[in-house]
Amino acid sequence: MPTVAFYDTKPYDKPSFEKYGEESGVSFRFFDAKLNGDTAELARGCDAVCVFVNDTVDAAVIDTLAAAGVKLVALRSAGYNNVDVRHAYGRIHVVHVPAYSPYAVAEHAMALLLTSVRRIHKAYIRTRDFNFSLNGLTGFDLHGKCVGVIGTGKIGRVFIDICRGFGMRVIAYDPYPAPDSGIDYVDLDTLFAQSDVISLHCPLTEQSRHVIDAAAVEKMKKGVVLLNTSRGGLIDDEALLEGIKSRKIGAACLDVYDEEADVFFEDRSGHILDDDMLSRLISMPNVIVTSHQAFLTEEALDNIAQTTVDSIRTFFEGGVCEHELCYRCGRMEDCKKERTRRCF
Ligand code: NAI
């Protein structure tokens, strides 16, 4: 029975992982700590580690884990920008959960957008205080507005369908356009120039880091609403702040933040927040921040646990892991998995 060191455990993680673990003969050791250079040794004696988006799986951590006998890193997330997949190659196998509920994330993006443009966050606080004034709550119709979607994978496409349901005009940018999707693809400059709402649904890579920078903000329509439910590093926060201060950006809805690792998922109320940028952004009346919550639905948690446990069981039975990934992913011309069905 493989034993798995489960890092960054939260109360909502445990029930589904315990259920599927019991059914599949996979046992978990749950740790509250995040995985990093200081905590990697906790995995000694375990066969695998299970990690989330703010665990650090860099070269040094990979070496420690491999020396401790760990054979597999199982990400319970889709994104894997926190793993040095190049260094992991040949040392430790990596699996992830490519899709667990694109609806969870896309619906959260729309929830943020509606909250922002209809000022629901302000109305909620007012009426709880028996303040029934409407002053300052004027919103705008989404119907007829143009939304620019950056990244048209699983989540981006669900979000596009939702926007179309609202009667919005959709344009999109993706270096790998989906054939026969009926999506109106444009270049980034056109997307910035035409969009009333911009929503980010691409992974964080060397190419996409700071796709929203000062030059991009400069090209945007005045009053644009920016949604980021993907990864914080897609946005240059200085440029975002300047865009908000200059009134170019009308509103920002952020489920992710570049420096979220030490803050998000934790109760910091009653503490002084050391991150000046995050404090400043949260203090803005037209910025809504949720703490990497978009994935958090019952359906998604269940799918994440089932897929992760299934990958772990398959791996230790010597089978083929459909969701194994390595630095070659996306480069099908030399993808070994296509030939031998294991990345190495
Ligand atoms: P996916 O792999 O299905 O789609 C990603 C799309 O982005 C692909 O079509 C790809 O061609 C495109 N892309 C790659 N590089 C790009 C670039 N430089 N510019 C524009 N497009 C680019 O991924 P999926 O499932 O749709 O997830 C998207 C992202 O959402 C993930 O990478 C992850 O960062 C984020 N995510 C956030 C969650 C949350 O709770 N906030 C939960 C799950 C995912």
Side-chain angles (χ1 to χ4, degrees):
M1 176 190 279
T3 304
V4 182
F6 194 103
Y7 284 90
D8 201 8
T9 311
K10 294 288 180 278
Y12 46 79
D13 291 318
K14 270 184 160 181
S16 46
F17 273 91
E18 280 174 337
K19 178 181 120 186
Y20 287 110
E22 214 164 278
E23 283 174 15
S24 305
V26 175
S27 86
F28 289 98
R29 274 187 212 162
F30 292 101
F31 298 111
D32 291 345
K34 290 188 177 62
L35 175 61
N36 55 40
D38 296 330
T39 59
E41 273 294 335
L42 290 171
R44 188 166 287 280
C46 292
D47 306 290
V49 294
C50 184
V51 300
F52 199 45
V53 293
N54 290 327
D55 291 298
T56 305
V57 196
D58 59 14
V61 167
I62 288 165
D63 288 344
T64 307
L65 292 176
V70 172
K71 305 271 182 307
L72 179 72
V73 173
L75 285 146
R76 51 184 193 275
S77 64
Y80 52 91
N81 52 287
N82 52 331
V83 181
D84 186 339
V85 277
R86 184 171 282 278
H87 191 78
Y89 194 82
R91 293 179 171 87
I92 203 159
H93 292 264
V94 182
V95 292
H96 72 147
V97 186
Y100 39 87
S101 173
Y103 310 103
V105 183
E107 288 173 13
H108 190 78
M110 180 48 87
L112 287 171
L113 177 59
L114 285 169
T115 301
S116 175
V117 301
R118 301 310 304 270
R119 320 286 187 246
I120 304 295
H121 52 311
K122 295 186 182 304
Y124 175 77
I125 291 167
R126 276 191 197 183
T127 54
R128 286 176 67 86
D129 202 25
F130 305 118
N131 174 355
F132 301 105
S133 160
L134 295 182
N135 295 339
L137 298 186
T138 309
F140 63 81
D141 291 5
L142 291 179
H143 184 92
K145 295 294 185 305
C146 177
V147 57
V149 176
I150 299 182
T152 57
K154 292 174 285 296
I155 296 170
R157 289 173 71 171
V158 173
F159 184 70
I160 287 173
D161 286 345
I162 294 172
C163 290
R164 285 182 173 151
F166 274 77
M168 301 182 81
R169 181 168 83 84
V170 179
I171 56 176
Y173 167 77
D174 193 307
Y176 308 98
D180 306 325
S181 60
I183 295 171
D184 182 7
Y185 284 103
V186 296
D187 58 37
L188 270 180
D189 282 0
T190 307
L191 185 143
F192 292 143
Q194 294 191 3
S195 301
D196 302 293
V197 175
I198 295 175
S199 196
L200 300 173
H201 297 290
C202 61
L204 178 61
T205 62
E206 278 167 33
Q207 291 74 39
S208 66
R209 176 166 284 280
H210 289 183
V211 63
I212 306 298
D213 59 8
V217 173
E218 182 68 30
K219 292 170 194 155
M220 291 177 192
K221 270 174 122 168
K222 188 168 164 43
V224 63
V225 180
L226 200 55
L227 307 176
N228 189 5
T229 54
S230 275
R231 285 294 180 268
L234 296 172
I235 297 181
D236 174 353
D237 293 319
E238 294 286 349
L240 172 66
L241 190 60
E242 284 311 310
I244 294 167
K245 281 160 66 179
S246 70
R247 309 328 190 237
K248 187 68 174 279
I249 294 175
C253 303
L254 312 172
D255 186 53
V256 285
Y257 173 66
D258 204 9
E259 303 295 326
E260 69 179 50
D262 294 333
V263 185
F264 281 15
F265 306 134
E266 307 300 332
D267 180 358
R268 299 276 178 214
S269 58
H271 295 258
I272 307 291
L273 194 60
D274 289 327
D275 188 322
D276 290 348
M277 174 60 76
L278 185 57
S279 303
R280 186 83 170 99
L281 287 171
I282 288 174
S283 75
M284 296 284 185
N286 51 354
V287 174
I288 298 175
V289 174
T290 51
S291 56
H292 210 131
Q293 183 188 335
F295 75 98
L296 195 62
T297 66
E298 286 172 13
E299 292 80 358
L301 288 175
D302 195 72
N303 288 339
I304 289 169
Q306 190 173 20
T307 307
T308 306
V309 171
D310 198 47
S311 290
I312 294 168
R313 185 188 49 76
T314 305
F315 181 83
F316 287 102
E317 283 174 356
V320 167
C321 285
E322 192 190 340
H323 306 310
E324 182 171 8
L325 53 84
C326 75
Y327 75 96
R328 287 190 163 108
C329 280
R331 288 167 38 196
M332 283 311 175
E333 69 278 6
D334 60 359
C335 178
K336 239 181 157 179
K337 199 165 62 170
E338 286 298 293
R339 284 177 273 136
T340 66
R341 307 297 289 162
R342 267 209 177 181
C343 289
F344 60 89

